[in-house]
Amino acid sequence: MSENTNKEKDTGMDLAADELAASLSRQISGEEDAGNVNSSNADNDTELSLKDDLLDVLEEEIPEEDPDTLIRELQMAVDRELSAASEPDAKQDDFSELNLAESDNAEAKVTEQTGTDAIEAEQPEINVTEAKQPETENPEAAEAEQREANVPEAKQPEAEKAESEAAEQPAANMTEAEQPENDGTEEVKTELENTDADETEQSGTEKGAAGQPEEEAFDQEDEGVVDVSEGVRALSDAPTEELPGITGQNAVNTEESSEKSDRTQKKEDKKRRKQEAAEEKARAKQEAADEKARAKQEARELKKQRKAEKKANKKKGAGKIVLLILLVLIAAAAIVYLALANRYKTVFFDGTVINGADCTGLTVEEAETVVTRQLDDYELTITFRDGNKEVISGESIDFEYVSDGSVQEINESQIPVLWLTAFFEEYSYEATAAASFDSLKLAEAVTALDECNLVNMSAPVDAYLSYNEENNALEIVPEEQGNKFELSALIEAIDEAVSSGVTELDVEELAIYETPARTSEDEELISQRDEMNEIISGSVTYSLPSGTEKVLDADTLVNWLSVDEAGNYSFDESFWSTNLNYYVEELAREVNTSDATADFTTINGAVMSLDNYLQGWLIDEASEAAQLAEELAVRTVTTREPIYAQRAYSDENNGIGNTYVEIDLSQQHLWVVENGTAIMETDIVSGTMVYETYTPEGIYPLYGKQEGRYLRGEQYADGSYEYVSWVDYWMPFNGGIGLHDASWRTQFGGSIYYSAGSHGCINMPSYMAAQLFDWITAGTPVICYYSAGYSLAG
């Protein structure tokens, strides 16, 4: 076989493989329609895989048989592969497992055919294709084919490319019906030009008439579909055609070398595509396994869901059955309950008591019999306010029972359907049945009761204000209800009660008792209490000279308020002022000590009551009353002294103090006492015991003292004096009577004073007078007393 023939064989096998792979891929993927020219990437991969498998078959030695036989066997292989691809798990790459025997026959037929038609193969390939095409009804397609047939062979690549595109366009526009039938074989795409262009590009030559890029060539493969037999015939009849730019033997050698290189590259591409197809198949299987696992999981979930629904429906069905049973039981219970309720239309509930008699389960007639029997022993118990009870018997008033239908009314008041509640509570009724009795006897029986005796009745007492000494405030004394009532009203109420057959009567509920006019809740009384307590809330505590205290507070002030016959308190300013002034006067009488008698305890322990001529306590009554009124008006609470017009010499020893000069005239002796202790003493001579010259008793203050002067007696008409005496120390304390030295006397003390005493002064030895003069001061008390008493002569 010549090199051209081998070349043509390889080229024809390659083209045939392309056509058959494209056709098989479209049939497997359901895209047989010649109009579907846009395939997915997945279809292209499948097509490449199938093409590789077909090339494996066609590479074997092809027997020289009739091409038609080759076409039929190849078509049979395609049909088997398509049938296998229609199974759920079939893959397109299984096409490589075609029967080897059929492949050998096909290859032999292709070889024989290429040898026989060597001369015809020299003609342009497009003419062979055109010659095999039937007449078409498409004018545009026929015209395009005619133009392609008349193109010279020596056209440049650009012209050839244009002619190829023009020639392919009619083929792409041909419908499936217009394609020729060749013994029932499958259709393939007429992509011979694209295949030639791919081979030329791989060998490094210029692009030919179909010299488009590989990517465009694959796109063009989808543009038209031809019968499988036509593709094979084209493969057999195609003449050896020189590529543009290559002539003679050199062109043949160059093309053969290029084709060998292309074949090696194709084998490598074939291996790569097989590997990619295997990987794609593994991915597809994994995806299928994952999808199957998901489907199983979904099936399990659906099974669980259906099982749960079935279980829920089963429970629901059981619940319905239980509910139905409960409804039946409730209905049965309701029927029984209503049947029992119907019984209580004519009998009384359990626990029914009428007039104290148990009427459980009795009819109206039976209950009236029981009530009548109870009323035969009728008694009316009357309860008064103080808790005392009085009883009037039916026999004493000729009482008889007369039915008035009240028992029937009690029965009709029952609600039969509530009969079950009777087991949990008691129903008590009073049958207000009519009765006949003697009203006169009833009135006499009521009047004879102790509670109805006027002597035993007490009238109500209104609430009033009263002063509470413990709380130092006015308080409300609650009202007294009393137990006085209107007797005629009571008789009328009892008459009505007996007529109705009532056995208990509470007089308090009749509201016939007299009531007090003012209660402790009276707002006016409360307001009065609060106002008066405010007025008497001030207080003054007086600190007195004796060391004691005198308190003026609400205990006294409450008496300065005005009170009327009804016990109402009020503030009367005139009455208040009168009481205030009287209180100040009483305070002055208690405190003032001027010209008063004072008790004095002598140095020997005797108590002498002496006239007190010392300057004592004297309250300024006007000033004190004014200040007291002001303090009470503003509710002052204070402790203070009274306002004094004159203060005493001392607050101690009844105003005398503990420093003084004490003279016992009976003993004719003098003591000087300082802070309660005698610091000096001496005998003295007092006045002669006659009325005109004796020394009087009393408590006197020292007027003052004078050193060196004359003492003169009564002055006569001629201007002379009864006596004139010089003294060095003069200390007066009672008018013209004083203490002084007496240098003319040689004796002191004893009984000299009875007949030879002084004119009333206290004579002292000169040295003692000098000591006393140095010690004594004005105001010092001088106390004179006769411890043994005295009497005057003449």
Side-chain angles (χ1 to χ4, degrees), residues 5 90 99 153 169 190 193 230 254 318 436 485 492 521 536 570 582 633 689 706 757 769 775:
T5 303
N99 190 288
E153 183 179 356
Q169 183 66 30
T190 309
E193 293 87 347
E230 287 292 326
T254 301
S436 64
F485 56 84
E492 181 178 353
E521 302 299 325
I536 64 175
S570 62
Y582 179 77
M689 295 302 294
Q706 186 179 7
W775 176 85

Side-chain angles (χ1 to χ4, degrees), residues 29 36 121 126 211 267 284 405 408 610 612 624 666 713:
S29 60
N36 278 336
I126 192 67
K267 287 182 178 181
Q408 178 67 37
L610 305 173
N612 185 13
E624 175 59 33
S666 296

Side-chain angles (χ1 to χ4, degrees), residues 15-33 39 42-55 57 73-87 90-99 185-191 221-222 224-228:
L15 293 174
D18 287 340
E19 291 297 332
L20 290 175
S23 177
L24 181 58
S25 175
R26 284 192 300 273
Q27 292 183 45
I28 291 173
S29 60
E31 296 179 354
E32 278 297 326
D33 188 359
S39 301
D43 293 337
N44 290 333
D45 294 339
T46 305
E47 181 179 330
L48 290 175
S49 178
L50 295 174
K51 178 180 176 181
D52 291 338
D53 294 336
L54 289 173
L55 286 174
V57 176
E73 291 179 359
L74 289 175
Q75 184 65 45
M76 291 172 64
V78 169
D79 292 339
R80 286 193 300 271
E81 190 66 16
L82 289 175
S83 176
S86 64
E87 294 299 327
K91 301 297 180 178
Q92 293 180 358
D93 57 359
D94 292 340
F95 189 83
S96 60
E97 299 178 358
L98 295 173
N99 190 288
T185 60
E186 295 288 341
E187 293 182 355
V188 296
K189 292 183 179 179
T190 309
E191 292 296 324
E221 289 175 5
D222 297 332
V225 180
V226 297
D227 192 271
V228 175

Side-chain angles (χ1 to χ4, degrees), residues 129-331:
T129 304
E130 180 181 2
K132 300 301 178 180
Q133 299 287 342
E135 294 184 0
T136 178
E137 295 178 0
N138 191 337
E140 294 179 357
E143 185 179 353
E145 293 174 358
Q146 184 66 31
R147 285 196 303 270
E148 182 178 337
N150 295 329
V151 175
E153 183 179 356
K155 285 185 179 181
Q156 298 298 322
E158 291 80 1
E160 291 176 1
K161 181 179 181 180
E163 289 180 2
S164 297
E165 291 176 354
E168 290 171 358
Q169 183 66 30
N173 293 333
M174 293 178 65
T175 62
E176 183 178 357
E178 294 172 349
Q179 300 298 324
E181 298 179 358
N182 288 308
D183 298 329
T185 60
E186 295 288 341
E187 293 182 355
V188 296
K189 292 183 179 179
T190 309
E191 292 296 324
L192 298 178
E193 293 87 347
N194 293 340
T195 305
D196 291 338
D198 293 339
E199 294 175 356
T200 303
E201 180 180 1
Q202 294 173 0
S203 63
T205 62
E206 296 180 359
K207 296 180 180 179
Q212 296 178 351
E214 182 179 359
E215 185 176 351
E216 294 181 4
F218 281 171
D219 292 339
Q220 290 177 359
E221 289 175 5
D222 297 332
E223 292 182 358
V225 180
V226 297
D227 192 271
V228 175
S229 62
E230 287 292 326
V232 175
R233 291 191 186 95
L235 179 64
S236 302
D237 298 338
T240 301
E241 182 177 359
E242 295 179 358
L243 295 174
I246 302 175
T247 60
Q249 183 64 39
N250 293 334
V252 172
N253 293 334
T254 301
E255 182 176 357
E256 181 178 359
S257 177
S258 177
E259 288 181 356
K260 288 181 179 180
S261 176
D262 292 343
R263 176 64 62 188
T264 302
Q265 181 67 34
K266 287 181 179 180
K267 287 182 178 181
E268 294 178 356
D269 293 342
K270 173 184 175 183
K271 292 179 180 180
R272 177 178 54 79
R273 287 194 295 271
K274 283 185 177 182
Q275 182 178 358
E276 293 176 352
E279 293 176 354
E280 180 65 25
K281 183 177 181 180
R283 284 195 299 270
K285 287 183 177 181
Q286 183 62 38
E287 291 176 358
D290 294 342
E291 182 64 27
K292 185 175 181 180
R294 284 194 297 270
K296 288 182 178 180
Q297 181 64 25
E298 291 176 357
R300 284 194 296 269
E301 294 295 333
L302 181 59
K303 183 177 181 180
K304 290 181 179 180
Q305 181 178 357
R306 289 177 177 176
K307 185 176 181 180
E309 291 178 354
K310 183 177 181 180
K311 186 176 181 180
N313 292 334
K314 185 176 181 180
K315 290 183 177 180
K316 187 175 181 181
K320 289 182 178 180
I321 294 173
V322 172
L323 180 61
L324 181 60
I325 293 173
L326 289 176
L327 291 176
V328 172
L329 293 176
I330 291 172

Side-chain angles (χ1 to χ4, degrees), residues 340-356:
L340 293 174
N342 187 61
R343 173 176 177 269
Y344 287 99
K345 290 182 178 180
T346 57
V347 300
F348 289 99
F349 286 163
D350 288 8
T352 301
V353 176
I354 302 177
N355 289 356

Side-chain angles (χ1 to χ4, degrees), residues 550-664:
K550 184 177 181 65
V551 179
L552 173 62
D553 60 9
D555 288 347
T556 301
L557 296 177
V558 69
N559 298 315
W560 299 2
L561 299 174
S562 297
V563 184
D564 62 15
E565 295 179 356
N568 294 312
Y569 282 79
S570 62
F571 177 78
D572 185 326
E573 186 173 357
S574 176
F575 185 70
W576 180 274
S577 297
T578 299
N579 283 279
L580 187 147
N581 291 329
Y582 179 77
Y583 181 82
V584 173
E585 291 175 3
E586 289 293 324
L587 179 65
R589 282 192 292 269
E590 183 178 345
V591 173
N592 291 347
T593 57
S594 181
D595 295 330
T597 299
D599 290 337
F600 173 73
T601 302
T602 70
I603 198 169
N604 294 316
V607 176
M608 304 296 296
S609 180
L610 305 173
D611 292 337
N612 185 13
Y613 296 99
L614 295 176
Q615 181 177 328
W617 299 105
L618 184 63
I619 292 178
D620 186 343
E621 297 182 18
S623 298
E624 175 59 33
Q627 181 167 337
L628 180 59
E630 182 179 351
E631 290 171 344
L632 295 179
V634 296
R635 322 311 182 217
T636 300
V637 177
T638 185
T639 298
R640 63 178 177 84
E641 288 184 342
I643 299 176
Y644 291 108
Q646 174 182 299
R647 301 183 68 86
Y649 173 77
S650 175
D651 293 336
E652 298 177 321
N653 198 14
N654 295 326
I656 300 171
N658 296 316
T659 298
Y660 49 85
V661 175
E662 180 180 344
I663 303 171
D664 186 348

